[in-house]
Amino acid sequence: MSLLIRGGTVVTAEASYRADVYCENGKIKAIGEKPDAPAGAEIVDAGGQFVMPGGIDPHTHMQLPFMGTVASEDFFTGTAAGFAGGNTTIIDFVIPNPKQNLMEAYRDWRGWAEKAAGDYGFHVAITWWDESVHDDMGTLVREEGVNSFKHFMAYKNAIMATDETMYHSFHRARELGAIVTVHAENGEIVYQLQQELLAKGINGPEGHPLSRPPAAEGEAVHRAIKFADVAGVPVYVVHTSTKDALDVITLARNNGQRVFGEVLAGHLLIDDSVYRSADWAFAAGHVMSPPFRPKEHQAALWRGLASGNLQTTATDHCCFCAPQKAAGKNDFTKIPNGTGGIEDRMAVLWTHGVNTGRLTPEEFVAVTSANAAKIFNIHPRKGSLSVGADADIVVWDPAASRTISAKTHHQNVDFNIFEGMKVTGVPSHTIANGKLVYAKGELRAVKGAGRYLKRPAFPSVFGALDKMAKARAPRAVAR
Ligand code: URQ
Ligand code: ZN
Ligand code: ZN
């Protein structure tokens, strides 16, 4: 299987330059002026377009069992919809129930993901602690290629990790050369505010943001960063949604701590007015956590991306259809939390990032692909356009437009948080593992073609730290 992408401008996180890209057997074989391509190679005409690394969405929840239901998007439909938006890789989550054996949960998710059309990895959530969790974390790192462990600091009485669990898990991750990630909202503040709002008779979606103030995120981000500092482990803050959180991340990074921040495309563009809509389904369709925020937070988040204090963008793609959201008709705390976006993230970011001058094309590649690959240790196999890398490529037409709608999107959900948004800059072709999976509106995703991605630990960082620590340790006095 060979494919030649001809006439385009290659854009990586480092540079843009005119070059053709030749792919063979799923890998990038040559990049340059008219590289040799055998007769019979499939040709993609990229004239006037950009040729970029396929998107990596480091935060999705395909067919997640959550809040009494299961997300409507599965690993096949979700990765296929991603192709239509230029995304070629996801990192999803294994989320064990409290007291559920980690390896059992991991095997469940591996089974569900076998239908994926695109490549996928897993962060594993640590929702409880005992010696078996300690041991299973070792197995997951050493044998299963998991190098990131998630901690939900929200969702009390469900999957919330206590401080005790976080303490043990962070130290174990440090030992193993893994990174920790957090959903940083103070679950106790949220829980107490939810009870108070319901007691006052506020049970509609307007109560959702009121129960999750920016301070609840700022406190939890601060706490997670301090736990990570004590453990000496890198920490990645998912769906950073407020200036409060960004300020804490920025301060820690300025002090040299290894802290990374992710922002969702939705949090960059949608504000909390959606929850005050008279249309219950519209408001409930936007219920996700952390909630969409007042406008001033969006400006801060864009500054965070531009300044490099936020390194990645994601979607937290976790879809629930209207009948599922209706579970919370009389109690907003029962509305399944989650929204979609895997098909729209890159076009939304190009339109509101590159077309407005907030991001250069190179920065666009960094925040939609390369940085996630580097942070989660799959670069340059993923997130780069380099010889030997996986042939995961998007041919991007900067002049083409479309209007986003649930009526036309490929996502398996009846709602779209970007409904009606006109985007300029969309994929004309997506190549995954060297195969054309999307071409000018035609989706050619193949169920089960996706591969599980092993992501190596980071012993190099920790090895160096250990050597330094030993060097500093007081020498035993020779007897
Ligand atoms: O919290 C998450 O990231 C998962 C449960 C998806 N739902 C959400 O509201 N973000
Ligand atoms: Zn979350
Ligand atoms: Zn999530």
Side-chain angles (χ1 to χ4, degrees):
M1 174 71 194
S2 59
L3 182 140
L4 175 65
I5 302 166
R6 199 166 50 190
T9 298
V10 164
V11 182
T12 69
E14 292 73 34
S16 300
Y17 54 97
R18 218 323 278 144
D20 298 341
V21 180
Y22 174 59
C23 311
E24 196 172 80
N25 301 328
K27 296 287 186 186
I28 294 175
K29 197 96 162 120
I31 300 172
E33 286 286 349
K34 295 186 179 29
D36 292 339
E42 190 166 10
I43 307 287
V44 172
D45 177 6
Q49 301 180 70
F50 296 115
V51 181
M52 305 189 286
I56 299 173
D57 189 341
H59 190 159
T60 62
H61 300 278
M62 305 303 177
Q63 59 193 91
L64 174 71
F66 190 55
M67 294 180 72
T69 185
V70 178
S72 57
E73 190 85 88
D74 70 28
F75 279 93
F76 170 57
T77 59
T79 48
F83 288 160
N87 193 84
T88 51
T89 297
I90 64 171
I91 308 182
D92 206 284
F93 293 82
V94 173
I95 307 179
N97 293 313
K99 304 297 183 200
Q100 180 184 16
N101 175 275
L102 255 61
M103 298 313 293
E104 176 193 289
Y106 171 74
R107 282 189 288 275
D108 286 348
W109 257 269
R110 284 294 305 271
W112 298 339
E114 280 181 7
K115 66 172 81 76
D119 289 354
Y120 56 93
F122 285 116
H123 311 287
V124 176
I126 305 302
T127 56
W128 66 290
W129 189 260
D130 76 0
E131 272 316 292
S132 78
V133 175
H134 171 279
D135 298 345
D136 288 346
M137 286 176 74
T139 304
L140 288 165
V141 170
R142 295 187 187 111
E143 297 173 23
E144 300 299 335
V146 171
N147 70 15
S148 48
F149 292 99
K150 172 76 173 288
H151 306 75
F152 289 94
M153 301 171 76
Y155 305 126
K156 178 178 174 165
N157 300 330
I159 55 177
M160 185 173 95
T162 64
D163 282 0
E164 181 183 5
T165 291
M166 265 189 8
Y167 183 89
H168 290 309
S169 177
F170 280 32
H171 282 74
R172 180 59 169 153
R174 164 73 170 77
E175 242 172 47
L176 293 166
I179 185 171
V180 298
T181 82
V182 290
H183 171 135
E185 291 180 289
N186 183 303
E188 192 60 46
I189 290 175
V190 170
Y191 176 76
Q192 297 299 338
L193 287 174
Q194 287 176 334
Q195 305 316 308
E196 289 170 15
L197 287 157
L198 292 173
K200 288 179 197 159
I202 300 171
N203 57 24
E206 73 281 8
H208 181 67
L210 301 176
S211 66
R212 311 182 91 100
E217 181 176 273
E219 184 281 332
V221 170
H222 182 268
R223 180 160 35 110
I225 285 174
K226 291 304 179 186
F227 269 63
D229 190 16
V230 167
V233 70
V235 59
Y236 177 96
V237 180
V238 307
H239 48 46
T240 306
S241 73
T242 60
K243 183 179 184 307
D244 309 56
L246 175 62
D247 287 348
V248 174
I249 291 170
T250 302
L251 180 64
R253 286 177 60 85
N254 289 343
N255 290 334
Q257 191 176 341
R258 203 175 289 275
V259 177
F260 303 107
E262 170 195 282
V263 60
L264 305 186
H267 282 131
L268 286 165
L269 290 153
I270 298 167
D271 66 66
D272 61 347
S273 62
V274 295
Y275 299 115
R276 296 186 286 277
S277 167
D279 176 342
W280 190 91
F282 176 83
H286 286 87
V287 168
M288 61 92 56
S289 296
F292 297 110
R293 302 290 187 181
K295 277 198 178 308
E296 63 268 19
H297 293 282
Q298 293 161 29
L301 294 173
W302 278 110
R303 288 196 298 274
L305 269 186
S307 65
N309 284 308
L310 296 176
Q311 295 76 32
T312 66
T313 63
T315 65
D316 202 353
H317 191 82
C318 185
C319 299
F320 300 102
C321 294
Q324 294 174 289
K325 292 280 190 177
K329 194 75 176 89
N330 302 312
D331 175 350
F332 69 84
T333 69
K334 296 195 169 43
I335 299 171
N337 284 207
T339 53
I342 194 166
E343 184 172 351
D344 305 314
R345 171 181 64 127
M346 294 174 79
V348 164
L349 269 160
W350 187 275
T351 303
H352 297 279
V354 177
N355 291 349
T356 60
R358 287 172 166 139
L359 296 172
T360 65
E362 294 82 5
E363 288 165 344
F364 173 85
V365 171
V367 302
T368 59
S369 184
N371 288 353
K374 290 172 184 170
I375 292 167
F376 294 111
N377 209 15
I378 48 177
H379 192 273
R381 176 186 173 189
K382 300 291 188 186
S384 84
L385 274 190
S386 53
V387 173
D390 284 2
D392 293 350
I393 300 167
V394 58
V395 179
W396 195 263
D397 184 347
S401 295
R402 70 182 178 93
T403 299
I404 294 174
S405 174
K407 296 183 187 66
T408 52
H409 69 202
H410 296 84
Q411 298 169 145
N412 186 31
V413 63
D414 58 4
F415 190 79
N416 192 308
I417 57 174
F418 302 111
E419 186 73 32
M421 181 187 285
K422 182 181 178 191
V423 287
T424 300
V426 296
S428 66
H429 298 78
T430 305
I431 292 102
N433 190 12
K435 294 183 183 66
L436 208 45
V437 291
Y438 178 75
K440 296 185 176 174
E442 184 201 351
L443 196 50
R444 304 179 186 172
V446 173
K447 190 177 248 185
R451 299 165 299 179
Y452 172 65
L453 281 177
K454 287 199 166 189
R455 297 178 292 114
F458 305 81
S460 55
V461 170
F462 298 95
L465 290 171
D466 286 343
K467 282 198 193 79
M468 277 156 42
K470 283 196 186 77
R472 278 203 307 265
R475 295 198 185 297
V477 176
R479 297 219 178 280

